[in-house]
Amino acid sequence: MTDLAELAQHLIDGHDADVARLTRDALDEGRAPAAILEQGLIAGMQVVGERFRDNIIFVPEVLVAARAMKAGLAHLEPVLAACGIEPIGTYVIGTVKGDIHDIGKNLVGMMLKGAGFRVIDLGVNTPLAKFQAAIEEHRPDIVGMSALLTTTMGQMKVNIESFRAAGLFDRLRVMVGGAAVSEDYAESIGAHAYGADAPSSVAKARSLLAELKAARA
Amino acid sequence: MSFRVRFLPEDRSTVSEGAVDLFLAAAQCDIWTEQPCGARTACGKCRVRVVSGDAPATRADERLLTDAERADGWRLGCQLTLDSDATVTIPPQTRSTAAKSFGDDAVFGDGIAPSFGSMAGGAARNAGNAYGIAVDIGSTSLAAALVRLDTGHVAGITSRVNPQVRFGADVISRIHFAQERADGNAQLHTSVVSAISEMIADLTGDAVDARQVVAVACAGNATMTHAAVGADITPLGQAPYRGTFTREVERAAREFGWPIHPEGVALFLPMVGHHIGGDTVGAILATGMDRAADWQLLIDLGTNTEVVLGSARGLYATSTAAGPAFEGANIEHGMRAAPGAIDRVRVLRSGRLVVGTVANQPARGLCGSGLIDAVAELHTAGVIAESGYMRSRAECEAAGVHPVLCERVIETPGGPGEARVVRRVRLDRDVTLTAQDVRQLQLVKGSIAAGIALVLEHAGVRADALDAIHIAGTFGSFVRKESVQGIGLVPAIDPERVHFVGNAAGVGARMVLVDARMRERARRIAAECAYLELAGHPGYEDAFMAAIPLGERL
């Protein structure tokens, strides 16, 4: 029987072919898709996040791990959907209008997927209307916005004010991040959380989600 | 109600009528301060000490300063607003320093074809020799040289902090300032233009009459050039980041109120585009790479690092957002290259680690060249793995690192949101290099090395075919070749062919000022240089990831 801990270890080591193979094997053996996701892929990404935080691994290792996770998810996602297993939450992410930097945002997106979120990535230079349309269409729990420049971070404030005016904060939370942004700035524009780097963004997304679910219950 | 702000150790004061930002008050006393992270309250490096007066701690102070420091009067300068009598000490590490060069006489090896000497009226010649002024408009510091137009000889140099720093530490925060304020563009324009007037006045008067000066040639990046000319800088801060012009600008100097010959001209070097300004065009000119038979690389290190690949066969440029880590931001004990900054690190065969500091003062921080040296040396010694991972003491011992060096690897508990333990290498009694500092340097060097790799790839040039590498920027003068190559910041060609060229923009401005052929070359460089955009480049992410690990590479 496939060892899910081994699957997690291959993910941590960034072996995408092994992750794909073991995911497939586990599915063929009839293992519960939710167990493969949680004990294999999510458990692996959890370790990756902790190692990143502790400076043991860095961006390239996180990226190869994320790519390995993607290789596993490719097999797992159709099955999860077929079984009616829902992602833990939906996250809309994008770099704001005027800004075209995206490596950090991509990393956050990948790690969120690794944590079990459904992630809708709107790309770079995203106008407010595109965020609004994605919120309408995908009904996200969290919207994440990134800005790398102090000249473009003002757009995050504009967006947040528009979300607030539209009454969206009854059902969603907003996170901001990017090189230009600080904890103080995030708070000053009314964001619900600030993501300093990819792993801490995932941790904050999890706690915002828990908070939202508690509020809905 | 008016009040007085007094600055130490100079003991200079300024009187204010209403609440005033610390930096503005200091600037009024001709004391120039740094905000390395652009006042984002991210770096905690702009600290000043309020000796007397009312200055309640802000939340940023509480986050970035210890209780003892706050009790002792330390505050973040970028957050400090004063509204009553106060006395403030500005420590050396919070101050700006300015140092620039304009090159030697060798740049005019093949004689001179005058640019301006003959044109600006007989009046100048009647009064004696004609002179010009070359200006390097840096975003942090300004420098000007008085130049004899018949020989190209430099007769005097002056420099000062760019007074625009009071509106924002870097280019981006100044653009932000211009967006926020109706008179923002006007203030940026007036401040830099008046500072240039003051420098012209410094350089003339005694031996050389102001009427003998017939031209001023300025080299600056796109934002500095737009601001100096009086154009709107705000489009430069938003995608597609385009300014209103790139061509060479020639105006009457009197439009700027510059105190030279009444018919004198003001010239601004042309730009390749928004990311590659007149400063880089000047640097290309100074290196002569546009006429070289073999391919050469120019790297102008800074918060934005420009990379140019060139030869007589073509010019290709790109710009990488390296960030302010070289200036000390985001580095725990990071600081500018001020007295007491560790600027050299060596690991000896005996396992001893020795450091050198600026002005041989007791070590109190780590500047950009020291950071590069420390990481390169500790990588070679086995303390830092190729991936950038800092080994624990036990892992160092297992990896065969010299026992004397192993003693320097220590661990301290991490704070909230930090790593569980913070691993460090003790460089000196009070200065350490943390595992996170190594990661910050990897991000910077990864983005620069990725830019280099993609420009080479774009032009179809192999790194080992490079005939020369020119490293420009003030910072570039102090760093060791072995270390920049050792961490993989620049390709590992023969170190003999790596040259530090200092602030080459000023040299370029001087060349354009003196020689009409150089002026024509500058125009051609600007027109012909191709620009490679990295944001959104399909190969960027892979190139960046490949460039993050340490180690020499070609």
Side-chain angles (χ1 to χ4, degrees), chain A residues 53-59 63 67 98 150-151 179-180 182 184 187, chain B residues 40-41 59 63 172 176 237-239 241 419-420 436 439 542 545:
Chain A
R53 184 200 61 203
D54 289 343
N55 284 311
I56 294 166
I57 61 167
F58 199 42
V59 182
L63 189 78
R67 285 177 182 167
T150 53
T151 48
S182 66
D184 292 345
E187 192 181 310
Chain B
R40 290 193 299 111
T41 68
R59 291 195 39 206
R63 193 157 48 80
I172 291 290
H176 188 57
Q238 294 278 335
Y241 314 106
R420 262 194 299 268
Q436 179 64 22
R439 300 312 195 178
D542 283 339
M545 295 302 156

PDB file of all heavy atoms in Angstrom, chain A residues 53-59 63 67 98 150-151 179-180 182 184 187, chain B residues 40-41 59 63 172 176 237-239 241 419-420 436 439 542 545:
ATOM      1  N   ARG A  53      10.004  29.124   6.636  1.00  0.00           N
ATOM      2  CA  ARG A  53       9.988  30.094   7.728  1.00  0.00           C
ATOM      3  C   ARG A  53      11.276  30.015   8.544  1.00  0.00           C
ATOM      4  O   ARG A  53      11.817  31.030   8.975  1.00  0.00           O
ATOM      5  CB  ARG A  53       8.785  29.818   8.628  1.00  0.00           C
ATOM      6  CG  ARG A  53       8.600  30.811   9.759  1.00  0.00           C
ATOM      7  CD  ARG A  53       7.739  30.226  10.865  1.00  0.00           C
ATOM      8  NE  ARG A  53       8.365  29.036  11.431  1.00  0.00           N
ATOM      9  CZ  ARG A  53       7.706  28.083  12.076  1.00  0.00           C
ATOM     10  NH1 ARG A  53       6.403  28.155  12.232  1.00  0.00           N
ATOM     11  NH2 ARG A  53       8.349  27.039  12.566  1.00  0.00           N
ATOM     12  N   ASP A  54      11.785  28.790   8.725  1.00  0.00           N
ATOM     13  CA  ASP A  54      12.982  28.603   9.542  1.00  0.00           C
ATOM     14  C   ASP A  54      14.279  28.778   8.755  1.00  0.00           C
ATOM     15  O   ASP A  54      15.356  28.423   9.240  1.00  0.00           O
ATOM     16  CB  ASP A  54      12.948  27.213  10.197  1.00  0.00           C
ATOM     17  CG  ASP A  54      11.876  27.147  11.286  1.00  0.00           C
ATOM     18  OD1 ASP A  54      11.419  28.220  11.729  1.00  0.00           O
ATOM     19  OD2 ASP A  54      11.494  26.034  11.689  1.00  0.00           O
ATOM     20  N   ASN A  55      14.181  29.300   7.514  1.00  0.00           N
ATOM     21  CA  ASN A  55      15.365  29.566   6.689  1.00  0.00           C
ATOM     22  C   ASN A  55      16.141  28.323   6.299  1.00  0.00           C
ATOM     23  O   ASN A  55      17.318  28.389   5.966  1.00  0.00           O
ATOM     24  CB  ASN A  55      16.321  30.544   7.387  1.00  0.00           C
ATOM     25  CG  ASN A  55      15.800  31.955   7.313  1.00  0.00           C
ATOM     26  OD1 ASN A  55      15.428  32.412   6.238  1.00  0.00           O
ATOM     27  ND2 ASN A  55      15.744  32.632   8.439  1.00  0.00           N
ATOM     28  N   ILE A  56      15.480  27.165   6.390  1.00  0.00           N
ATOM     29  CA  ILE A  56      16.168  25.936   6.007  1.00  0.00           C
ATOM     30  C   ILE A  56      16.112  25.774   4.496  1.00  0.00           C
ATOM     31  O   ILE A  56      17.082  25.390   3.860  1.00  0.00           O
ATOM     32  CB  ILE A  56      15.538  24.725   6.736  1.00  0.00           C
ATOM     33  CG1 ILE A  56      15.821  24.873   8.234  1.00  0.00           C
ATOM     34  CG2 ILE A  56      16.081  23.412   6.194  1.00  0.00           C
ATOM     35  CD1 ILE A  56      15.018  23.976   9.121  1.00  0.00           C
ATOM     36  N   ILE A  57      14.968  26.104   3.911  1.00  0.00           N
ATOM     37  CA  ILE A  57      14.869  26.092   2.447  1.00  0.00           C
ATOM     38  C   ILE A  57      14.472  27.481   1.988  1.00  0.00           C
ATOM     39  O   ILE A  57      14.107  28.334   2.796  1.00  0.00           O
ATOM     40  CB  ILE A  57      13.859  25.051   1.937  1.00  0.00           C
ATOM     41  CG1 ILE A  57      12.465  25.366   2.483  1.00  0.00           C
ATOM     42  CG2 ILE A  57      14.302  23.647   2.289  1.00  0.00           C
ATOM     43  CD1 ILE A  57      11.366  24.591   1.795  1.00  0.00           C
ATOM     44  N   PHE A  58      14.551  27.701   0.667  1.00  0.00           N
ATOM     45  CA  PHE A  58      14.278  29.043   0.144  1.00  0.00           C
ATOM     46  C   PHE A  58      13.397  28.957  -1.104  1.00  0.00           C
ATOM     47  O   PHE A  58      12.940  27.881  -1.471  1.00  0.00           O
ATOM     48  CB  PHE A  58      15.617  29.732  -0.138  1.00  0.00           C
ATOM     49  CG  PHE A  58      15.514  31.235  -0.232  1.00  0.00           C
ATOM     50  CD1 PHE A  58      14.729  31.949   0.654  1.00  0.00           C
ATOM     51  CD2 PHE A  58      16.214  31.916  -1.211  1.00  0.00           C
ATOM     52  CE1 PHE A  58      14.641  33.325   0.568  1.00  0.00           C
ATOM     53  CE2 PHE A  58      16.139  33.298  -1.298  1.00  0.00           C
ATOM     54  CZ  PHE A  58      15.354  33.993  -0.407  1.00  0.00           C
ATOM     55  N   VAL A  59      13.190  30.098  -1.722  1.00  0.00           N
ATOM     56  CA  VAL A  59      12.234  30.210  -2.830  1.00  0.00           C
ATOM     57  C   VAL A  59      12.377  29.096  -3.885  1.00  0.00           C
ATOM     58  O   VAL A  59      11.369  28.494  -4.267  1.00  0.00           O
ATOM     59  CB  VAL A  59      12.339  31.609  -3.479  1.00  0.00           C
ATOM     60  CG1 VAL A  59      11.333  31.766  -4.587  1.00  0.00           C
ATOM     61  CG2 VAL A  59      12.116  32.684  -2.418  1.00  0.00           C
ATOM     62  N   LEU A  63       9.453  26.471  -4.766  1.00  0.00           N
ATOM     63  CA  LEU A  63       8.872  26.418  -6.106  1.00  0.00           C
ATOM     64  C   LEU A  63       8.866  24.993  -6.651  1.00  0.00           C
ATOM     65  O   LEU A  63       7.851  24.549  -7.206  1.00  0.00           O
ATOM     66  CB  LEU A  63       9.641  27.347  -7.047  1.00  0.00           C
ATOM     67  CG  LEU A  63       8.970  27.504  -8.399  1.00  0.00           C
ATOM     68  CD1 LEU A  63       7.792  28.471  -8.299  1.00  0.00           C
ATOM     69  CD2 LEU A  63       9.959  28.008  -9.441  1.00  0.00           C
ATOM     70  N   ARG A  67       5.667  22.815  -7.589  1.00  0.00           N
ATOM     71  CA  ARG A  67       5.463  22.174  -8.893  1.00  0.00           C
ATOM     72  C   ARG A  67       5.156  20.685  -8.718  1.00  0.00           C
ATOM     73  O   ARG A  67       4.330  20.121  -9.441  1.00  0.00           O
ATOM     74  CB  ARG A  67       6.697  22.372  -9.785  1.00  0.00           C
ATOM     75  CG  ARG A  67       6.772  23.794 -10.328  1.00  0.00           C
ATOM     76  CD  ARG A  67       8.030  24.013 -11.162  1.00  0.00           C
ATOM     77  NE  ARG A  67       8.104  25.400 -11.620  1.00  0.00           N
ATOM     78  CZ  ARG A  67       9.187  25.953 -12.157  1.00  0.00           C
ATOM     79  NH1 ARG A  67      10.279  25.244 -12.305  1.00  0.00           N
ATOM     80  NH2 ARG A  67       9.172  27.212 -12.558  1.00  0.00           N
ATOM     81  N   GLY A  98      -1.621  48.807 -12.501  1.00  0.00           N
ATOM     82  CA  GLY A  98      -0.425  49.634 -12.537  1.00  0.00           C
ATOM     83  C   GLY A  98       0.839  48.870 -12.191  1.00  0.00           C
ATOM     84  O   GLY A  98       1.937  49.358 -12.386  1.00  0.00           O
ATOM     85  N   THR A 150       5.449  51.523  -4.219  1.00  0.00           N
ATOM     86  CA  THR A 150       4.665  52.462  -3.405  1.00  0.00           C
ATOM     87  C   THR A 150       3.753  53.308  -4.292  1.00  0.00           C
ATOM     88  O   THR A 150       2.781  53.866  -3.820  1.00  0.00           O
ATOM     89  CB  THR A 150       5.571  53.399  -2.579  1.00  0.00           C
ATOM     90  OG1 THR A 150       6.498  54.013  -3.460  1.00  0.00           O
ATOM     91  CG2 THR A 150       6.324  52.646  -1.516  1.00  0.00           C
ATOM     92  N   THR A 151       4.089  53.390  -5.579  1.00  0.00           N
ATOM     93  CA  THR A 151       3.232  54.174  -6.472  1.00  0.00           C
ATOM     94  C   THR A 151       1.975  53.424  -6.862  1.00  0.00           C
ATOM     95  O   THR A 151       1.047  54.002  -7.399  1.00  0.00           O
ATOM     96  CB  THR A 151       3.986  54.541  -7.764  1.00  0.00           C
ATOM     97  OG1 THR A 151       4.611  53.364  -8.261  1.00  0.00           O
ATOM     98  CG2 THR A 151       5.026  55.591  -7.502  1.00  0.00           C
ATOM     99  N   ALA A 179       6.224  43.824  -1.810  1.00  0.00           N
ATOM    100  CA  ALA A 179       7.392  44.519  -1.261  1.00  0.00           C
ATOM    101  C   ALA A 179       7.080  45.916  -0.740  1.00  0.00           C
ATOM    102  O   ALA A 179       7.721  46.390   0.188  1.00  0.00           O
ATOM    103  CB  ALA A 179       8.484  44.600  -2.323  1.00  0.00           C
ATOM    104  N   ALA A 180       6.089  46.592  -1.330  1.00  0.00           N
ATOM    105  CA  ALA A 180       5.826  47.973  -0.926  1.00  0.00           C
ATOM    106  C   ALA A 180       5.023  48.044   0.375  1.00  0.00           C
ATOM    107  O   ALA A 180       4.984  49.078   1.030  1.00  0.00           O
ATOM    108  CB  ALA A 180       5.057  48.693  -2.033  1.00  0.00           C
ATOM    109  N   SER A 182       3.492  47.202   4.181  1.00  0.00           N
ATOM    110  CA  SER A 182       3.919  46.836   5.534  1.00  0.00           C
ATOM    111  C   SER A 182       2.677  46.517   6.355  1.00  0.00           C
ATOM    112  O   SER A 182       1.558  46.806   5.952  1.00  0.00           O
ATOM    113  CB  SER A 182       4.690  47.986   6.173  1.00  0.00           C
ATOM    114  OG  SER A 182       3.813  49.086   6.366  1.00  0.00           O
ATOM    115  N   ASP A 184       1.716  47.948   9.049  1.00  0.00           N
ATOM    116  CA  ASP A 184       1.035  49.196   9.411  1.00  0.00           C
ATOM    117  C   ASP A 184       0.178  49.712   8.252  1.00  0.00           C
ATOM    118  O   ASP A 184      -0.942  50.169   8.437  1.00  0.00           O
ATOM    119  CB  ASP A 184       2.059  50.282   9.779  1.00  0.00           C
ATOM    120  CG  ASP A 184       2.782  49.951  11.078  1.00  0.00           C
ATOM    121  OD1 ASP A 184       2.289  49.064  11.802  1.00  0.00           O
ATOM    122  OD2 ASP A 184       3.827  50.554  11.343  1.00  0.00           O
ATOM    123  N   GLU A 187      -2.984  47.701   7.771  1.00  0.00           N
ATOM    124  CA  GLU A 187      -4.010  48.044   8.741  1.00  0.00           C
ATOM    125  C   GLU A 187      -4.640  49.398   8.407  1.00  0.00           C
ATOM    126  O   GLU A 187      -5.849  49.575   8.506  1.00  0.00           O
ATOM    127  CB  GLU A 187      -3.405  48.056  10.144  1.00  0.00           C
ATOM    128  CG  GLU A 187      -4.480  48.109  11.211  1.00  0.00           C
ATOM    129  CD  GLU A 187      -3.888  48.154  12.611  1.00  0.00           C
ATOM    130  OE1 GLU A 187      -3.024  47.315  12.908  1.00  0.00           O
ATOM    131  OE2 GLU A 187      -4.300  49.046  13.373  1.00  0.00           O
TER     132      GLU A 187
ATOM    133  N   ARG B  40       8.655  53.098   4.984  1.00  0.00           N
ATOM    134  CA  ARG B  40       7.603  52.084   5.076  1.00  0.00           C
ATOM    135  C   ARG B  40       7.586  51.432   6.455  1.00  0.00           C
ATOM    136  O   ARG B  40       6.873  50.476   6.679  1.00  0.00           O
ATOM    137  CB  ARG B  40       7.808  51.000   4.008  1.00  0.00           C
ATOM    138  CG  ARG B  40       7.555  51.486   2.609  1.00  0.00           C
ATOM    139  CD  ARG B  40       7.451  50.306   1.662  1.00  0.00           C
ATOM    140  NE  ARG B  40       8.679  49.536   1.635  1.00  0.00           N
ATOM    141  CZ  ARG B  40       8.814  48.314   2.128  1.00  0.00           C
ATOM    142  NH1 ARG B  40       7.813  47.703   2.696  1.00  0.00           N
ATOM    143  NH2 ARG B  40       9.963  47.702   2.054  1.00  0.00           N
ATOM    144  N   THR B  41       8.391  51.914   7.363  1.00  0.00           N
ATOM    145  CA  THR B  41       8.554  51.339   8.706  1.00  0.00           C
ATOM    146  C   THR B  41       8.891  49.851   8.608  1.00  0.00           C
ATOM    147  O   THR B  41       8.343  49.037   9.329  1.00  0.00           O
ATOM    148  CB  THR B  41       7.303  51.540   9.595  1.00  0.00           C
ATOM    149  OG1 THR B  41       6.232  50.752   9.077  1.00  0.00           O
ATOM    150  CG2 THR B  41       6.902  52.993   9.675  1.00  0.00           C
ATOM    151  N   ARG B  59       3.482  53.305  16.884  1.00  0.00           N
ATOM    152  CA  ARG B  59       3.386  51.839  16.855  1.00  0.00           C
ATOM    153  C   ARG B  59       4.587  51.235  16.150  1.00  0.00           C
ATOM    154  O   ARG B  59       5.058  50.169  16.518  1.00  0.00           O
ATOM    155  CB  ARG B  59       2.093  51.418  16.149  1.00  0.00           C
ATOM    156  CG  ARG B  59       0.877  51.772  16.985  1.00  0.00           C
ATOM    157  CD  ARG B  59      -0.345  51.055  16.473  1.00  0.00           C
ATOM    158  NE  ARG B  59      -0.012  49.702  16.061  1.00  0.00           N
ATOM    159  CZ  ARG B  59      -0.681  49.016  15.153  1.00  0.00           C
ATOM    160  NH1 ARG B  59      -1.705  49.568  14.554  1.00  0.00           N
ATOM    161  NH2 ARG B  59      -0.337  47.793  14.847  1.00  0.00           N
ATOM    162  N   ARG B  63       7.296  48.461  17.493  1.00  0.00           N
ATOM    163  CA  ARG B  63       7.580  47.221  16.780  1.00  0.00           C
ATOM    164  C   ARG B  63       9.082  47.059  16.506  1.00  0.00           C
ATOM    165  O   ARG B  63       9.614  45.956  16.604  1.00  0.00           O
ATOM    166  CB  ARG B  63       6.791  47.226  15.467  1.00  0.00           C
ATOM    167  CG  ARG B  63       6.702  45.928  14.733  1.00  0.00           C
ATOM    168  CD  ARG B  63       5.485  45.920  13.801  1.00  0.00           C
ATOM    169  NE  ARG B  63       5.395  47.125  12.986  1.00  0.00           N
ATOM    170  CZ  ARG B  63       6.113  47.311  11.879  1.00  0.00           C
ATOM    171  NH1 ARG B  63       6.960  46.415  11.456  1.00  0.00           N
ATOM    172  NH2 ARG B  63       5.983  48.436  11.199  1.00  0.00           N
ATOM    173  N   ILE B 172      10.902  55.854  -6.389  1.00  0.00           N
ATOM    174  CA  ILE B 172       9.495  55.464  -6.328  1.00  0.00           C
ATOM    175  C   ILE B 172       8.739  56.300  -5.296  1.00  0.00           C
ATOM    176  O   ILE B 172       7.616  56.746  -5.540  1.00  0.00           O
ATOM    177  CB  ILE B 172       9.379  53.951  -6.028  1.00  0.00           C
ATOM    178  CG1 ILE B 172       9.879  53.129  -7.226  1.00  0.00           C
ATOM    179  CG2 ILE B 172       7.963  53.568  -5.675  1.00  0.00           C
ATOM    180  CD1 ILE B 172       8.986  53.192  -8.447  1.00  0.00           C
ATOM    181  N   HIS B 176       5.603  58.855  -5.869  1.00  0.00           N
ATOM    182  CA  HIS B 176       4.441  58.783  -4.995  1.00  0.00           C
ATOM    183  C   HIS B 176       4.106  60.172  -4.440  1.00  0.00           C
ATOM    184  O   HIS B 176       2.958  60.599  -4.431  1.00  0.00           O
ATOM    185  CB  HIS B 176       4.763  57.812  -3.857  1.00  0.00           C
ATOM    186  CG  HIS B 176       3.608  57.489  -2.976  1.00  0.00           C
ATOM    187  ND1 HIS B 176       2.442  56.954  -3.458  1.00  0.00           N
ATOM    188  CD2 HIS B 176       3.442  57.617  -1.645  1.00  0.00           C
ATOM    189  CE1 HIS B 176       1.607  56.776  -2.463  1.00  0.00           C
ATOM    190  NE2 HIS B 176       2.186  57.174  -1.348  1.00  0.00           N
ATOM    191  N   GLY B 237       5.706  55.988 -12.597  1.00  0.00           N
ATOM    192  CA  GLY B 237       5.431  55.078 -11.486  1.00  0.00           C
ATOM    193  C   GLY B 237       4.309  54.092 -11.729  1.00  0.00           C
ATOM    194  O   GLY B 237       3.970  53.311 -10.848  1.00  0.00           O
ATOM    195  N   GLN B 238       3.707  54.119 -12.888  1.00  0.00           N
ATOM    196  CA  GLN B 238       2.553  53.258 -13.177  1.00  0.00           C
ATOM    197  C   GLN B 238       2.803  52.530 -14.491  1.00  0.00           C
ATOM    198  O   GLN B 238       3.313  53.129 -15.426  1.00  0.00           O
ATOM    199  CB  GLN B 238       1.295  54.130 -13.400  1.00  0.00           C
ATOM    200  CG  GLN B 238       0.809  54.882 -12.186  1.00  0.00           C
ATOM    201  CD  GLN B 238      -0.031  54.012 -11.273  1.00  0.00           C
ATOM    202  OE1 GLN B 238      -0.622  53.039 -11.703  1.00  0.00           O
ATOM    203  NE2 GLN B 238      -0.077  54.355  -9.999  1.00  0.00           N
ATOM    204  N   ALA B 239       2.426  51.258 -14.549  1.00  0.00           N
ATOM    205  CA  ALA B 239       2.542  50.551 -15.821  1.00  0.00           C
ATOM    206  C   ALA B 239       1.798  51.384 -16.880  1.00  0.00           C
ATOM    207  O   ALA B 239       0.732  51.910 -16.582  1.00  0.00           O
ATOM    208  CB  ALA B 239       1.911  49.161 -15.709  1.00  0.00           C
ATOM    209  N   TYR B 241       4.819  52.563 -17.235  1.00  0.00           N
ATOM    210  CA  TYR B 241       6.032  53.235 -16.733  1.00  0.00           C
ATOM    211  C   TYR B 241       6.744  54.066 -17.806  1.00  0.00           C
ATOM    212  O   TYR B 241       7.960  54.026 -17.927  1.00  0.00           O
ATOM    213  CB  TYR B 241       7.031  52.210 -16.151  1.00  0.00           C
ATOM    214  CG  TYR B 241       6.427  51.189 -15.233  1.00  0.00           C
ATOM    215  CD1 TYR B 241       6.244  49.880 -15.655  1.00  0.00           C
ATOM    216  CD2 TYR B 241       6.029  51.520 -13.944  1.00  0.00           C
ATOM    217  CE1 TYR B 241       5.682  48.925 -14.818  1.00  0.00           C
ATOM    218  CE2 TYR B 241       5.476  50.572 -13.094  1.00  0.00           C
ATOM    219  CZ  TYR B 241       5.294  49.279 -13.545  1.00  0.00           C
ATOM    220  OH  TYR B 241       4.754  48.340 -12.723  1.00  0.00           O
ATOM    221  N   ALA B 419      11.502  32.727  12.427  1.00  0.00           N
ATOM    222  CA  ALA B 419      11.934  31.344  12.521  1.00  0.00           C
ATOM    223  C   ALA B 419      11.960  30.936  14.003  1.00  0.00           C
ATOM    224  O   ALA B 419      12.096  31.779  14.884  1.00  0.00           O
ATOM    225  CB  ALA B 419      13.315  31.197  11.911  1.00  0.00           C
ATOM    226  N   ARG B 420      11.858  29.616  14.239  1.00  0.00           N
ATOM    227  CA  ARG B 420      11.877  29.137  15.632  1.00  0.00           C
ATOM    228  C   ARG B 420      13.163  29.545  16.336  1.00  0.00           C
ATOM    229  O   ARG B 420      13.142  30.019  17.462  1.00  0.00           O
ATOM    230  CB  ARG B 420      11.740  27.607  15.661  1.00  0.00           C
ATOM    231  CG  ARG B 420      10.320  27.137  15.929  1.00  0.00           C
ATOM    232  CD  ARG B 420      10.321  25.671  16.277  1.00  0.00           C
ATOM    233  NE  ARG B 420      10.852  24.881  15.162  1.00  0.00           N
ATOM    234  CZ  ARG B 420      10.086  24.361  14.213  1.00  0.00           C
ATOM    235  NH1 ARG B 420       8.790  24.525  14.250  1.00  0.00           N
ATOM    236  NH2 ARG B 420      10.606  23.668  13.230  1.00  0.00           N
ATOM    237  N   GLN B 436      18.597  34.658   7.666  1.00  0.00           N
ATOM    238  CA  GLN B 436      17.654  35.438   6.865  1.00  0.00           C
ATOM    239  C   GLN B 436      18.376  36.492   6.014  1.00  0.00           C
ATOM    240  O   GLN B 436      17.971  36.777   4.889  1.00  0.00           O
ATOM    241  CB  GLN B 436      16.629  36.093   7.803  1.00  0.00           C
ATOM    242  CG  GLN B 436      15.590  36.965   7.128  1.00  0.00           C
ATOM    243  CD  GLN B 436      14.677  36.185   6.188  1.00  0.00           C
ATOM    244  OE1 GLN B 436      14.529  34.973   6.303  1.00  0.00           O
ATOM    245  NE2 GLN B 436      14.078  36.877   5.239  1.00  0.00           N
ATOM    246  N   ARG B 439      19.407  35.002   2.875  1.00  0.00           N
ATOM    247  CA  ARG B 439      18.266  34.890   1.958  1.00  0.00           C
ATOM    248  C   ARG B 439      17.986  36.215   1.257  1.00  0.00           C
ATOM    249  O   ARG B 439      17.667  36.242   0.069  1.00  0.00           O
ATOM    250  CB  ARG B 439      17.014  34.443   2.737  1.00  0.00           C
ATOM    251  CG  ARG B 439      17.141  33.086   3.438  1.00  0.00           C
ATOM    252  CD  ARG B 439      17.700  32.030   2.533  1.00  0.00           C
ATOM    253  NE  ARG B 439      17.510  30.674   3.034  1.00  0.00           N
ATOM    254  CZ  ARG B 439      17.902  29.589   2.370  1.00  0.00           C
ATOM    255  NH1 ARG B 439      18.537  29.720   1.210  1.00  0.00           N
ATOM    256  NH2 ARG B 439      17.683  28.389   2.858  1.00  0.00           N
ATOM    257  N   ASP B 542      12.189  31.152 -14.288  1.00  0.00           N
ATOM    258  CA  ASP B 542      13.200  30.083 -14.286  1.00  0.00           C
ATOM    259  C   ASP B 542      14.600  30.655 -14.117  1.00  0.00           C
ATOM    260  O   ASP B 542      15.420  30.105 -13.378  1.00  0.00           O
ATOM    261  CB  ASP B 542      13.121  29.268 -15.591  1.00  0.00           C
ATOM    262  CG  ASP B 542      11.946  28.304 -15.575  1.00  0.00           C
ATOM    263  OD1 ASP B 542      11.460  27.985 -14.465  1.00  0.00           O
ATOM    264  OD2 ASP B 542      11.513  27.879 -16.661  1.00  0.00           O
ATOM    265  N   MET B 545      15.043  31.658 -10.458  1.00  0.00           N
ATOM    266  CA  MET B 545      15.220  30.500  -9.582  1.00  0.00           C
ATOM    267  C   MET B 545      16.620  29.906  -9.761  1.00  0.00           C
ATOM    268  O   MET B 545      17.269  29.521  -8.795  1.00  0.00           O
ATOM    269  CB  MET B 545      14.161  29.427  -9.879  1.00  0.00           C
ATOM    270  CG  MET B 545      12.755  29.865  -9.577  1.00  0.00           C
ATOM    271  SD  MET B 545      12.544  30.372  -7.843  1.00  0.00           S
ATOM    272  CE  MET B 545      11.131  31.460  -8.013  1.00  0.00           C
TER     273      MET B 545
END
